[in-house]
Amino acid sequence: MQFAVPHDHPALPGHFPGRPVVPGVVVLERVVQAIEAAQGPLGALRLPQVKFVQPLLPGERADIAIEAVAGDPLRWKFRVTRGDVAIASGEVVAA
């Protein structure tokens, strides 16, 4: 799944003044949407491991790759990239 957060997204003002950066929670929201598009509604979630390694700027395109964890139908690994650059990675677990 590919996405871009528009420059007028309501989470951007104040994050950060003069150089807006897409908040991590917005990136994670897109990750959950990608999983739900494939699996259906998830309900309550845990994020036992998340790592942000690069910022995502408004308007930049990012790709989400989701991989089901073998043997656990309620756990997925994800990776968010901008081209060849990793932005975030981690796991999502349905409660």
Side-chain angles (χ1 to χ4, degrees):
M1 175 181 163
Q2 191 174 75
F3 74 97
V5 175
H7 294 274
D8 62 350
H9 190 281
L12 294 176
H15 202 272
F16 294 93
R19 182 156 159 70
V21 175
V22 176
V25 69
V26 175
V27 174
L28 292 175
E29 175 185 47
R30 299 298 173 97
V31 168
V32 171
Q33 289 172 351
I35 295 170
E36 288 184 332
Q39 302 295 319
L42 297 177
L45 300 173
R46 288 187 308 115
L47 298 158
Q49 179 185 359
V50 175
K51 184 173 186 179
F52 292 94
V53 293
Q54 290 287 321
L56 180 64
L57 303 179
E60 289 184 327
R61 293 220 168 272
D63 292 295
I64 300 170
I66 304 294
E67 177 186 340
V69 173
D72 191 342
L74 300 177
R75 182 181 292 257
W76 300 268
K77 290 185 179 188
F78 70 87
R79 182 172 166 88
V80 182
T81 56
R82 178 184 56 245
D84 293 334
V85 177
I87 294 171
S89 61
E91 292 186 3
V92 174
V93 180

